[in-house]
Every structure is written in C-alpha cells, then in structure tokens.
Amino acid sequence: MALLVVYSCCLFLAQAAYATAFSEGNLEWCSHQCTCLNNYRTVDCARRMLDHVPSLSNLTVNLYLDNNRIERIAPETFQTLGNLMMLNMEKNAIRTAAASYFCSLQNLQILNLGSNKLEAFLIPDNLTADCKLPSLKQLILSNNRLSALPPNLPNFTPSLKLLNVSFNTIRSVSFNGSFSMLMSLRVLDLRGNQIHQIMADDFAGLKAIPLNTLSLSECGIVHIEPEAFHEMTELASLSLSRNLIGYNTLEAIFTAIGNDSQLVQLDLSEMFLQNVTASLLGMLKRLSILDIFESSVHYVEPGLFDLLPELESLNVGHNELHELENVGALKQLRWLNAEWNHLTELDLTDLDALQSIDVSGNQLKMLPGGWLGAKENLQLLNVSHNMITSIHPEAFAGLSLQQLDLSHNWLSTLNDTGLQRLRKLNLSHNRLSVITPQLFTNVADTLEDVDLSHNNISNFQQAPFKDFISLQELNLAYNRLGRALGEGLLCDIFSSMGHLQQVDLSANEIVQISAGQWQHLHHVNTVALSYNHIKRLGDASVIELTAVARLVMDYNDLSAVDVDVLDKMDYLEEADFGNNPFACTPCVALPFLRWLNHSTVRILGKADRQRYQCYMPPEFAGQYLLDYHPTIPDADCKPHRERHRSQLDWTMIAVAVAGVVVFIILVTVLFFYTQICQKIKSLHYRWQIRYREVSGVEFTNDPKV
C-alpha cells in the first residue's frame, strides 16, 4: 500500500513537472522572441522585427513568422520541425527559396511565402523521394518577383489543391504535361501578372485535371486563342476582368467551350464591352453568377436572359445602360446590382426569389405601385441617388424589407410605406420638412437605425417617434431643430427611445437645449452636437446624459469648457471640443487645463494645433491651447469667480426687487384708480340729482307751485 502511495505521488510530480516544462512562460521551450500557445503547438513570431528564424520546439504545428525582416532561409532552419503543418512567412524580404529548405516538413499542408522578394523558387530535376511535400495542399507565392512558374512543381507538391502565383512578373504560362499529375489542383490564381497572350496549348497540362477555379484578371491580356479553355470540362469559375480582350475574341472563346460548359461564375468586369448579347454568353446555360461591372455596356440583349435560367446573381453596375429589359425571365435571380446607370424605369414584378436590389445612381423619378411585386424574400432595397419625388402608396406592398435606402432623392413628403419588419431606414439628403406619424406606423417597434440627416426638418408634430422601443441609432444632423430644442418643444421626441445608443444633432443651429430634452435617454452612449452655436456645456443640458460615453461638440462657440459639468458625467470616456473659440485668459482656461492633466477622459484630436488653439485675447490668437501656461495663482482667480458670482447674485436680487416694486406700484395704481372712480361716480350722481331738482322748480307748469 505504501509503495502504491509513493508511486502515485511520483506519477503526480512527473505530470506536474511535464506541465511546467510545457507552460507558456518557460523560455527553455519557447523563444523569448515569440509567443507560444496551446502547449507549443502554435507559435506566434509575427511582427517581432526578426531578421532570422529563432530556435523552436519540435512540437510546433502552426508557425507564424509574417511581417518580419527575414531575408534568407538557411537549409537547416526547419530540420527539427517535423510536425509543422502550417508555415506563414509572408511580408518578409526573402529573395530565394528552394525545395531543399522544406524537405523535412513532411506534414506541411500550408506554405505561405507571399509578399516577399522571391525571384525564383528552385526545384531541381533530380528531386529525391524524401524531398517531396506529400501533404502540401496550399502554396502561396503571390506578390513576389517570379518571372516564371516554379519548375518541376508537380514532383515537389503532388497533392496540391491551391496554387497562388498572383501579382508576379510572369510573362507566359505553359502548363506542360507534368501538371497533369496535380490531380487534386482545384484553384489556380494568376492575377496581376504580365500575360499578354494565351495560346491554345498553354493549358494543355490542366485539361486532364479537374481544375475548378481559374483567375486571369489584371494580366493585360489582349488575345486568347479560342481553343485555350476547350476540354477544361470541370472549370466552374473563370475571371477575365481588367483585360483588353475584344468582343469577337470572347465570343469565339465561349463558343469553343460549347453548350456543355460547367461555368457557374464568370467575371467580365472593367473591360470594354459595348454589347452583351445571346451570341456572346447564351451558350453558358449553367451560369449562376455573372459580373459585368464597369465594362462600358450600353446594351444588354433581352433574349439573353431567356438562355440563362439558373442565373442567381447579376452585376451590371457602373455601365451606360438606359434600359434593362426582360429581367423577369431570370426566375432564380436573388441579387441584382444595376447601380449607376441611366435607368428611368425597371420592372421587377416577376422576380420572387430576389433578396437584394441595388438601383442607386440612376434616373428614377417615381416608384410606381407594384413595381416589385410581393416579394417575401427581399431584404435590401437601395434606390438612393436618383431623382425620386413621389412614391406610390403600394410601391412596397407585400414586402418584408429589413433595409431601405431612399437617400439622395428629391422627396418632400413621405407617408406610410406599408413595411412591417424594417430595421434600417435611410432618408438623408432629401427635402423633407415634415415627418408624419404615419411614416412609422408599422415599423416603430422594429426600426434600429433611422437616418433623417440633411433635410429641412424644423419640428416634429404629433409625436412621430412613438413606441420606438428598438431604435439604437438616430441621425438628425443638418436640419433646423435648434429653435424647437431651445424652446423645449421636443420634450417628447425621445420619450419612447429607451434603448437609443447614438444620436446626432450636428449642424442644427442649436444655441440651447432646454432642460428635460434628454431625460428619457438612459442608455445613450454617443451624442454628437458638432457645428452648432453652443457657448457653454450647461446650455446643452448634457449633464442629463447620465450614461453618455462619447460627447462630440467640436465647431461650436465654446470659449471655455465647464469642468464642473464634466466631473458629473461619470461614464464619459471620449470627448471632442476641437475647433472652438477658446479664451486663453488665466481664470477661464486654467480649470480646463488642470482637468486635462488628471482626467482619464480621452480628448479626441487634442494634439492637433489647428483644432485646439486660442482665439482671444488677440495677443494669444493662434497659440496652441496646451502651450498656454498661465502663471496667475489660483487664489487670484477665486476673487474673480466670487466677484462674478456676487455680481450674478446682486443682479438676481436687483431683478427680484424691481419686480416687487413694479408689482406694488401696479397694485397701488389699481387701488387708487378704483377709489377715485367710485368718488367720481358718486359726485356725478349727486350733481345729476341737484340738477334735476333745480330744473324742476324753474320750468314746471304746475299752477300750485
């Protein structure tokens, strides 16, 4: 029994010693220049200014050496790292690499040597069996100086799936028969090279393998022989963007591919294609993604869409289209981008699968009723940067949009949209002056982000923001709400926005925000009041913002920052008071300067001399505020403050006394006026009686008198 206890104790101590030996803080196993994680399986030596590869444990599986200054790899560098599976050495200064450097890495799966200065990747003809990387799946040699593909690559990496040699100086491609050994190769990236011509037999070695993705964009290609891609039966994604290939050449290429093409994704962006016709692309019947972005397209043949029944994504943005007809034939279309063309109308009624529509930057003047149909799947609609002046009440009927962008149009009024689950609404840069409650009838409880900036709104009537229980961001910048906020006319505007986190009231001609405007914003953390005319923090009632963490008040009329207000804002983390006319007088600037020295609040742009400088008095104009060091003792400022406070108190007393005196005078005048009027009435009455008596004696005709 005692032996068993001793054995258990020894085993426990051995395990503890093993764990200690492999702890992250033990420098015996981890270089002090790196960070070791997961029991030394992951070693992070990135961004350490290294000029060599440090000594590492043979337990290393993932090694990060990127963003350093390594210029060469010694043949013995990785000999002890037999368990390495991922090696990242991108963004160094390596000039030469050879297969012999990596022979010991039999388990390596990913090798990244991108963004170096490699001029060659040497693989000898007589490569031995023990100097191959049978497990390597990804080889990244992008952004180097290679002038040719690595020779004998199939012998060195027989299981390669991805080869990235983009953005080198390769002038010609010749995939000879040896590349037919790469039966696992699926992705070949040749972007950004200098391949001006592609001959029919350049891809001969690739036609026997199931290559799936081929990128030839940005290569300056002017000519491709029609048979170049013929018999590449598994090719699903082809990118030819940013080249100078003519229409006739492209037509011949796709005709040679034939109706049996497996192409699912085709990128013809940033080329010069004036027309997109059925004879150009009609044979690619399995296309799912077609990208013709910014290709100077003037005309898309309507009949083309009848030949592409499986198209799900169409990008014809930034072209010269005046019309886009027969889009309704694309029954599977889910993403449509037709931004920045010259479209005046667009019929999308039959596209029930649509999820995202972008027709911004066109010439739409109105949105008619039913132009979208009843699309339950549509989530995003962008019709910004058009000339829309009116929207039919049924324009969005039956939709379940989550994002609607109507910004940069000519809308002056907008009523109920009929939407029910909207989360983000952008109405900025319009001509709205009135926001009616009907606008938010069905979406008040779902809206999370509302942008009404850059309009002409001066007031809100009938509480349009009622029951906004989900709203988190409200942008009202560049309107005319200053007078309403100063007079307390918007006390109820935030009453139901208990979850609001960001509010922007910049450029609203605000001089003062009366007390009580912020009282319902218990969770707001960011308030922007830039480009207004606020002279003191107290004038903006910011002390009511009990949870605010970021306060932006640059470009106002602040001559000083009231630190008494800032000290009461317990959660304030960032503030911006730049570009204000600061007064550099001792008793005005001294409290704020002292506050800056001890406060943990981060002042945005504090080091920018142009943003924080003195404006007055004239002798300090242009001086950096933090360079102003008043020598006046604080005791000398106390009488100034007391005198100011005393003057303020006497002023208030004088005003109160004057009010009492005026009141007494008014009461006295009223009293005397009442008494005198009574006496005058009495005298007048007596005079009338006497007059009647006298006149009765003198003028009676009674003979008895």
Side-chain angles (χ1 to χ4, degrees):
M1 185 67 179
L3 290 175
L4 181 61
V5 172
V6 172
Y7 174 77
S8 300
C9 291
C10 292
L11 181 61
F12 175 78
L13 291 173
Q15 291 175 344
Y18 180 83
T20 303
F22 284 88
S23 65
E24 295 182 8
N26 195 328
L27 298 179
E28 182 180 350
W29 288 89
C30 184
S31 171
H32 68 279
Q33 299 169 307
C34 305
T35 300
C36 298
L37 307 167
N38 193 23
N39 288 338
Y40 297 89
R41 291 172 61 85
T42 299
V43 180
D44 186 0
C45 305
R47 297 178 176 85
R48 307 299 170 95
M49 309 291 285
L50 300 177
D51 57 5
H52 66 283
V53 179
S55 299
L56 300 167
S57 166
N58 60 2
L59 300 174
T60 306
V61 174
N62 303 306
L63 177 57
Y64 295 90
L65 286 163
D66 53 289
N67 292 275
N68 281 296
R69 299 177 177 178
I70 302 172
E71 295 185 3
R72 61 181 298 273
I73 303 174
E76 67 279 1
T77 300
F78 302 112
Q79 285 184 356
T80 60
L81 302 180
N83 293 312
L84 199 63
M85 298 176 65
M86 191 279 292
L87 174 58
N88 186 351
M89 297 190 72
E90 68 173 339
K91 296 183 180 179
N92 278 282
I94 304 170
R95 296 182 180 276
T96 304
S100 58
Y101 298 169
F102 309 102
C103 290
S104 60
L105 305 179
Q106 295 295 299
N107 293 310
L108 191 66
Q109 297 184 14
I110 300 174
L111 175 57
N112 188 347
L113 293 171
S115 299
N116 278 280
K117 299 179 180 180
L118 287 177
E119 297 180 356
F121 191 92
L122 305 176
I123 304 176
D125 294 335
N126 55 348
L127 196 67
T128 60
D130 59 349
C131 195
K132 294 183 179 181
L133 300 183
S135 301
L136 192 68
K137 301 293 189 294
Q138 299 182 26
L139 176 59
I140 302 172
L141 300 171
S142 58
N143 290 282
N144 278 289
R145 302 174 181 177
L146 299 175
S147 58
L149 292 169
N152 302 317
L153 184 65
N155 292 326
F156 181 55
T157 59
S159 301
L160 198 64
K161 289 186 175 181
L162 180 148
L163 174 60
N164 186 347
V165 288
S166 61
F167 296 98
N168 280 279
T169 58
I170 299 172
R171 294 185 178 277
S172 64
V173 288
S174 180
F175 293 90
N176 54 37
S178 66
F179 279 87
S180 60
M181 298 170 54
L182 297 176
M183 294 303 297
S184 299
L185 189 64
R186 295 293 182 271
V187 179
L188 175 59
D189 193 344
L190 292 164
R191 290 174 299 153
N193 280 285
Q194 301 175 16
I195 309 167
H196 301 315
Q197 294 189 75
I198 297 179
M199 311 308 291
D201 57 351
D202 281 348
F203 294 131
L206 302 178
K207 294 181 179 181
I209 65 175
L211 186 68
N212 181 269
T213 301
L214 174 61
S215 180
L216 289 163
S217 60
E218 297 185 64
C219 286
I221 302 174
V222 296
H223 180 69
I224 300 177
E225 291 191 354
E227 301 297 322
F229 304 117
H230 184 57
E231 296 181 356
M232 297 179 70
T233 56
E234 299 295 326
L235 192 62
S237 177
L238 175 62
S239 177
L240 298 171
S241 64
R242 297 187 181 182
N243 285 297
L244 301 172
I245 310 170
Y247 176 91
N248 294 331
T249 301
L250 287 173
E251 186 178 29
I253 291 171
F254 297 134
T255 301
I257 291 177
N259 293 326
D260 295 332
S261 168
Q262 301 295 317
L263 272 180
V264 174
Q265 181 174 356
L266 177 62
D267 189 352
L268 299 176
S269 298
E270 299 185 56
M271 300 177 71
F272 295 97
L273 303 173
Q274 289 193 337
N275 301 316
V276 178
T277 63
S279 61
L280 178 67
L281 301 175
M283 68 291 298
L284 308 178
K285 299 184 181 299
R286 297 188 179 181
L287 267 187
S288 177
I289 302 173
L290 177 58
D291 197 337
I292 319 177
F293 179 84
E294 199 173 350
S295 291
S296 303
V297 178
H298 287 74
Y299 174 70
V300 176
E301 185 178 357
L304 171 64
F305 297 141
D306 293 320
L307 303 175
L308 303 177
E310 299 183 17
L311 198 65
E312 296 183 3
S313 176
L314 175 62
N315 185 354
V316 290
H318 288 261
N319 282 293
E320 304 296 330
L321 295 172
H322 289 266
E323 57 185 12
L324 190 61
E325 298 180 347
N326 198 32
V327 185
L330 303 173
K331 301 301 183 183
Q332 303 299 320
L333 194 65
R334 289 195 278 178
W335 296 278
L336 173 62
N337 184 0
E339 62 179 344
W340 296 101
N341 280 280
H342 307 289
L343 301 174
T344 56
E345 60 181 3
L346 190 62
D347 185 5
L348 303 174
T349 52
D350 297 327
L351 300 176
D352 296 333
L354 272 175
Q355 297 179 10
S356 174
I357 302 173
D358 189 345
V359 288
S360 59
N362 281 280
Q363 298 177 15
L364 304 177
K365 295 183 178 179
M366 68 169 298
L367 298 181
W371 71 294
L372 294 171
K375 296 176 174 55
E376 296 183 357
N377 297 317
L378 190 61
Q379 303 293 312
L380 186 150
L381 175 60
N382 186 351
V383 288
S384 64
H385 294 87
N386 278 279
M387 297 180 288
I388 300 172
T389 57
S390 62
I391 298 177
H392 191 277
E394 299 295 322
F396 306 119
L399 301 183
S400 300
L401 281 177
Q402 293 193 7
Q403 298 185 38
L404 174 60
D405 192 344
L406 287 163
S407 63
H408 294 271
N409 278 289
W410 296 355
L411 293 169
S412 57
T413 58
L414 185 61
N415 292 314
D416 184 13
T417 60
L419 300 172
Q420 296 185 353
R421 295 191 297 179
L422 197 63
R423 292 185 178 182
K424 185 174 182 179
L425 176 62
N426 191 344
L427 288 167
S428 64
H429 294 86
N430 275 281
R431 301 174 180 179
L432 299 171
S433 57
V434 176
I435 302 297
T436 62
Q438 291 76 19
L439 176 60
F440 306 115
T441 300
N442 300 313
V443 294
D445 57 342
T446 60
L447 273 174
E448 298 175 358
D449 186 346
V450 175
D451 191 344
L452 292 168
S453 62
H454 294 271
N455 280 285
N456 296 316
I457 304 170
S458 59
N459 200 350
F460 293 102
Q461 299 176 354
Q462 302 177 0
F465 299 109
K466 186 178 180 181
D467 300 327
F468 270 51
I469 57 176
S470 300
L471 193 65
Q472 298 180 17
E473 299 183 25
L474 177 61
N475 191 345
L476 295 169
Y478 291 90
N479 280 285
R480 297 185 294 110
L481 293 168
R483 178 175 173 272
L485 288 167
E487 296 179 1
L489 302 179
L490 302 181
C491 287
D492 296 331
I493 185 175
F494 302 122
S495 59
S496 63
M497 300 183 187
H499 293 86
L500 190 65
Q501 296 182 12
Q502 299 181 26
V503 58
D504 193 342
L505 287 167
S506 301
N508 267 278
E509 304 172 2
I510 299 174
V511 176
Q512 183 178 7
I513 298 178
S514 62
Q517 303 283 337
W518 308 112
Q519 61 180 334
H520 300 288
L521 301 182
H522 305 299
H523 298 285
V524 68
N525 57 46
T526 300
V527 173
L529 294 168
S530 307
Y531 293 96
N532 283 297
H533 305 294
I534 302 169
K535 295 183 178 180
R536 295 175 57 85
L537 293 184
D539 293 342
S541 300
V542 294
I543 199 169
E544 295 179 358
L545 299 167
T546 55
V548 72
R550 191 171 188 266
L551 178 63
V552 182
M553 294 189 68
D554 57 329
Y555 291 98
N556 273 277
D557 295 335
L558 299 173
S559 60
V561 179
D562 192 346
V563 297
D564 292 338
V565 174
L566 294 178
D567 287 337
K568 295 177 182 178
M569 302 176 73
D570 297 332
Y571 297 96
L572 190 63
E573 297 177 0
E574 292 183 350
D576 191 346
F577 300 115
N579 297 98
N580 276 286
F582 292 106
C584 288
T585 56
C587 296
V588 173
L590 191 59
F592 181 51
L593 292 173
R594 288 181 175 174
W595 181 86
L596 288 175
N597 290 330
H598 69 78
S599 175
T600 58
V601 176
R602 179 171 173 257
I603 302 299
L604 302 177
K606 183 175 66 173
D608 190 345
R609 293 179 176 272
Q610 300 300 320
R611 299 197 67 224
Y612 288 86
Q613 59 180 325
C614 304
Y615 277 69
M616 60 184 78
E619 59 268 24
F620 290 107
Q623 180 177 322
Y624 183 37
L625 180 63
L626 293 186
D627 288 343
Y628 175 65
H629 302 292
T631 57
I632 184 171
D634 188 47
D636 292 345
C637 285
K638 189 176 297 183
H640 170 79
R641 291 193 294 269
E642 292 177 353
R643 183 168 61 252
H644 177 71
R645 190 179 299 111
S646 177
Q647 290 175 352
L648 182 62
D649 294 341
W650 279 110
T651 301
M652 294 177 64
I653 293 172
V655 171
V657 170
V660 173
V661 171
V662 170
F663 176 76
I664 293 173
I665 292 173
L666 290 174
V667 172
T668 303
V669 170
L670 183 62
F671 174 77
F672 279 105
Y673 175 76
T674 305
Q675 295 297 321
I676 291 171
C677 285
Q678 290 295 332
K679 289 183 179 181
I680 291 174
K681 287 181 179 180
S682 177
L683 290 173
H684 181 66
Y685 177 72
R686 292 179 183 176
W687 180 81
Q688 284 184 332
I689 293 174
R690 281 191 180 181
Y691 177 77
R692 288 174 184 169
E693 290 177 353
V694 173
S695 58
V697 172
E698 293 179 350
F699 301 103
T700 182
N701 294 320
D702 191 347
K704 294 181 181 180
V705 178

